[in-house]
Amino acid sequence: MKATDTGDLWWKTAVIYCLDVETFMDSNDDGVGDFAGLAQRIDYLAELGVTCLWLMPFYPTPGRDDGYDVMDFYGVDPRLGHLGDLVEVVRTARDRGIRVIADLVVNHTSDQHPWFRDARSSRDSRYRDFYVWRDEVPAHQPEPVFPDEEDGVWHFDEKTEQYYLHNFYHHQPDLNLGNPRVVDEIAKIIGFWLELGLSGFRIDAVSYMLEEQADGDPHALVRSLRKYLSRRSGDAVMLGENNLPYDEQVPYFGQGDAEGLTMQFDFVGMQHLYLSLARHDARSFAATVSERPLVAEDAQWANFVRNHDELTLDKLTDAERAEVFAAFAPDDDMRLFDRGIRRRLPPMLDGDPRRVRMVYSLLFSLPGTPVIFYGEEIGMGENLAIAGRQSVRTPMQWSDGVAGGFSSSSRRGLARRVPGDGYGPAHVNAATQLTDPDSLLCFFQLLIRRYRSSTEIGWGSFEVLDHDSVGVFAHAMTGDQGAMIAVHNFAAEPAVVTITVPGASGETRLRELLADGECTTDDRGRVELALPGYGYRWLRVHRDDDVRLS
């Protein structure tokens, strides 16, 4: 690959930042974040190094599932602003080198959406077949996504005396995606937002979308939407939320010449990361990422540490999940749905800055594209007083003020309350960290600069490196533009590892990327590397043809 290729397939070296407009910045002091407030913070994101902004749902909604219950796919929730405000954000972000993508939630609608209100008015409604109806509940049905709140996935509609399908909440009826008319409507929605300047979409609940395909090909819908997306905007992306085993994820990327999802989140690797953190032993994570399938050159895995939902652990065994719960969610109130954790990373790691930095160093060094959830760059914590998954969706903490600089509204008037403990704004905020060169925020800026200058991370080949320390994960990334190795110590004890650097011929210089200094391999390409407890190192492999300055 050439350096200029990174502009064509921009997502392979992107830094994606996810935020909820409602909790990011309030411009009019009504206690609710808005697009005008977000526009004021675009420069902050640019200075951080963000290249792609992912907006959580901002559409009109009854607000029963934090915006994922959409009742108008073509609008903006009036609490957040209007279409003009959104366009201003997109334009300003583009000027700062940031693309914008948005959540596309088309597995279901709100029961207040005009389509469903019409559909349930009569069995003869023109929108009746936009949803999935049955006279009887099928004998075999999947477990609902939220088993603590729903008894099943079929809900009886008394007026028309039929059951409708809802994999999520009963107030979120599933769309009939085997209906060509519904698919046409989704294409129109995609086209509308592309015309307003979006660079793609994060597709919510992809695997659930494909269960009702009438033609028997569960991936035909994804391929059809990707084809439409590419016609309308050649460099737009589809980032899929697909919590499946690796072998089941691969077909979603496409088959043969038919393209599918551009990117998919690596849920399996993330879950084994936490298992290795709980054990202080890197082997589970190393074994898992070694098995991650290779994908086409224009596709990519998306890596993350936390997101806006519970930290799901459903791909671990019961015993493994119990280990992670014991380490990071010892209290029942910290757990959700018997499969996940509703906490942010720093509190789970007892606020140990060594461990927190080691984890984020690992995130940015892994093959793929890193995705950050707002507030991770300053080490925000959760507020367990807020119910459910929303405990991690607290207002962004900009300053040490009472509401963290998010709003001048009283704390009671806030959309959600900020944490009041050691992770509150008095102790964790962006303003203080911006002026502290040793802060987590400044460390993020360094990681992003090094990641962006190391195109082999997004484009190169990946290899887990052998050594004899169970607590250390070592890997190499090798590409046309250069090569690097990274070592991360999951254990509290210091470690010394000897590794063989791929491609090293004779004595080869290795230059530190996260600190000053360099070292040299022996004539067999081996190097001995020392790491403190929870330590980490990135090293550039010197090549005579490497033109990079850092």
Side-chain angles (χ1 to χ4, degrees):
M1 53 82 67
K2 305 183 298 294
T4 51
D5 292 337
T6 60
D8 294 330
L9 305 184
W10 59 266
W11 53 89
K12 291 179 69 71
T13 52
V15 177
I16 301 176
Y17 189 99
C18 170
L19 64 83
D20 186 349
V21 177
E22 182 181 1
T23 56
F24 201 63
M25 184 65 193
D26 173 16
S27 72
N28 59 3
D29 296 330
D30 64 354
V32 179
D34 45 50
F35 278 107
L38 172 56
Q40 297 171 12
R41 292 291 184 253
I42 294 297
D43 284 329
Y44 165 84
L45 298 176
E47 291 171 8
L48 177 61
V50 171
T51 65
C52 178
L53 177 58
W54 157 22
L55 300 177
M56 290 171 61
F58 51 77
Y59 314 101
T61 172
R64 300 183 67 183
D65 187 23
D66 201 27
Y68 286 88
D69 48 338
V70 179
M71 61 186 209
D72 178 5
F73 290 110
Y74 295 99
V76 170
D77 186 333
R79 299 176 308 144
L80 312 181
H82 49 64
L83 285 173
D85 295 322
L86 169 64
V87 171
E88 287 293 284
V89 165
V90 173
R91 184 196 64 80
T92 304
R94 183 185 297 124
D95 177 69
R96 308 304 196 270
I98 301 173
R99 292 174 170 86
V100 180
I101 66 174
D103 259 301
L104 183 66
V105 188
V106 290
N107 172 75
H108 52 260
T109 69
S110 163
D111 61 3
Q112 298 304 303
H113 194 287
W115 294 344
F116 190 71
R117 295 178 67 177
D118 194 292
R120 75 191 315 181
S121 68
S122 166
R123 291 197 184 191
D124 297 324
S125 164
R126 61 175 177 160
Y127 291 108
R128 185 72 174 181
D129 62 354
F130 270 42
Y131 299 88
V132 182
W133 302 88
R134 297 288 185 271
D135 289 325
E136 302 290 339
V137 174
H140 302 286
Q141 57 176 315
E143 183 178 90
V145 174
F146 305 120
D148 62 333
E149 299 190 41
E150 298 291 346
D151 295 328
V153 299
W154 294 93
H155 189 78
F156 188 68
D157 179 64
E158 295 185 357
K159 182 170 184 178
T160 57
E161 298 184 325
Q162 277 190 315
Y163 294 87
Y164 63 83
L165 178 67
H166 64 92
N167 276 292
F168 292 79
Y169 295 109
H170 70 274
H171 56 80
Q172 293 171 322
D174 280 19
L175 284 165
N176 177 12
L177 297 171
N179 182 345
R181 292 174 59 212
V182 174
V183 176
D184 286 346
E185 289 293 336
I186 294 173
K188 292 176 185 177
I189 294 165
I190 290 173
F192 176 81
W193 292 109
L194 290 177
E195 287 298 314
L196 290 186
L198 294 192
S199 294
F201 304 89
R202 177 263 189 185
I203 313 296
D204 187 58
V206 177
S207 60
Y208 291 97
M209 290 172 56
L210 308 186
E211 291 182 354
E212 296 293 323
Q213 292 301 293
D215 61 5
D217 181 354
H219 303 289
L221 174 62
V222 168
R223 294 197 300 271
S224 172
L225 294 179
R226 175 65 186 279
K227 187 175 181 179
Y228 177 86
L229 182 81
S230 297
R231 287 201 310 268
R232 289 297 180 95
S233 177
D235 65 349
V237 299
M238 290 170 55
L239 168 58
E241 180 201 28
N242 227 0
N243 182 14
L244 295 172
Y246 284 143
D247 60 336
E248 295 180 32
Q249 281 188 275
V250 170
Y252 288 85
F253 280 115
Q255 298 170 319
D257 295 331
E259 295 180 322
L261 295 172
T262 320
M263 293 190 286
Q264 292 188 67
F265 290 104
D266 181 2
F267 281 92
V268 177
M270 177 274 296
Q271 295 180 46
H272 283 271
L273 167 62
Y274 279 92
L275 181 60
S276 280
L277 289 170
R279 292 174 171 175
H280 296 81
D281 183 330
R283 288 177 293 182
S284 176
F285 178 69
T288 300
V289 295
S290 295
E291 297 172 356
R292 190 168 75 173
L294 297 175
V295 296
E297 184 179 65
D298 62 350
Q300 186 68 295
W301 291 102
N303 302 313
F304 67 104
V305 171
R306 281 299 281 118
N307 63 12
H308 58 289
D309 286 330
E310 75 279 4
L311 173 66
T312 185
L313 303 169
D314 64 324
K315 297 299 180 287
L316 301 180
T317 67
D318 290 344
E320 291 169 340
R321 190 178 308 114
E323 287 185 69
V324 180
F325 278 155
F328 302 132
D331 300 334
D332 288 344
D333 186 46
M334 299 173 177
R335 307 174 188 177
L336 204 58
F337 311 130
D338 295 323
R339 65 171 186 248
I341 297 174
R342 61 189 203 99
R343 306 184 73 192
R344 282 182 177 255
L345 179 71
M348 283 193 280
L349 300 182
D350 298 322
D352 188 333
R354 301 171 302 165
R355 297 188 80 186
V356 171
R357 293 184 185 218
M358 186 276 290
V359 171
Y360 287 116
S361 170
L362 177 63
L363 171 68
F364 281 94
S365 71
L366 290 173
T369 299
V371 182
I372 310 167
F373 185 48
Y374 76 94
E376 283 191 282
E377 74 276 16
I378 60 172
M380 279 174 52
E382 71 280 347
N383 185 351
L384 293 175
I386 301 175
R389 297 177 293 170
Q390 295 189 10
S391 60
V392 301
R393 306 177 190 176
T394 56
M396 178 64 182
Q397 295 169 197
W398 296 107
S399 72
D400 60 2
V402 175
F406 161 73
S407 175
S408 295
S409 178
S410 67
R411 292 188 68 173
R412 291 186 177 182
L414 297 181
R416 293 189 200 106
R417 296 186 65 176
V418 298
D421 55 13
Y423 292 94
H427 306 284
V428 177
N429 67 78
T432 300
Q433 293 193 28
L434 278 170
T435 59
D436 178 2
D438 295 322
S439 68
L440 181 62
L441 177 58
C442 288
F443 181 64
F444 261 77
Q445 291 175 321
L446 172 62
L447 288 175
I448 291 173
R449 287 198 303 271
R450 293 295 184 250
Y451 160 79
R452 290 281 290 170
S453 68
S454 303
T455 54
E456 59 266 38
I457 296 176
W459 285 78
S461 61
F462 165 68
E463 180 181 353
V464 175
L465 303 178
D466 293 331
H467 56 81
D468 57 3
S469 176
V470 299
V472 174
F473 175 73
H475 71 284
M477 298 300 308
T478 305
D480 294 338
Q481 296 291 312
M484 62 168 282
I485 60 173
V487 286
H488 292 82
N489 188 2
F490 283 64
E493 300 77 24
V496 177
V497 296
T498 300
I499 60 175
T500 300
V501 178
S505 56
E507 295 185 358
T508 302
R509 287 193 297 121
L510 306 175
R511 184 160 51 82
E512 299 277 0
L513 291 179
L514 302 182
D516 294 329
E518 62 177 42
C519 55
T520 305
T521 67
D522 63 19
D523 57 5
R524 297 168 59 185
R526 298 178 306 179
V527 64
E528 185 177 87
L529 299 173
L531 291 165
Y534 307 126
Y536 45 86
R537 295 171 71 176
W538 293 22
L539 298 113
R540 176 89 72 219
V541 181
H542 175 75
R543 294 192 337 195
D544 291 337
D545 62 346
D546 195 333
V547 299
R548 292 176 289 192
L549 299 176
S550 62

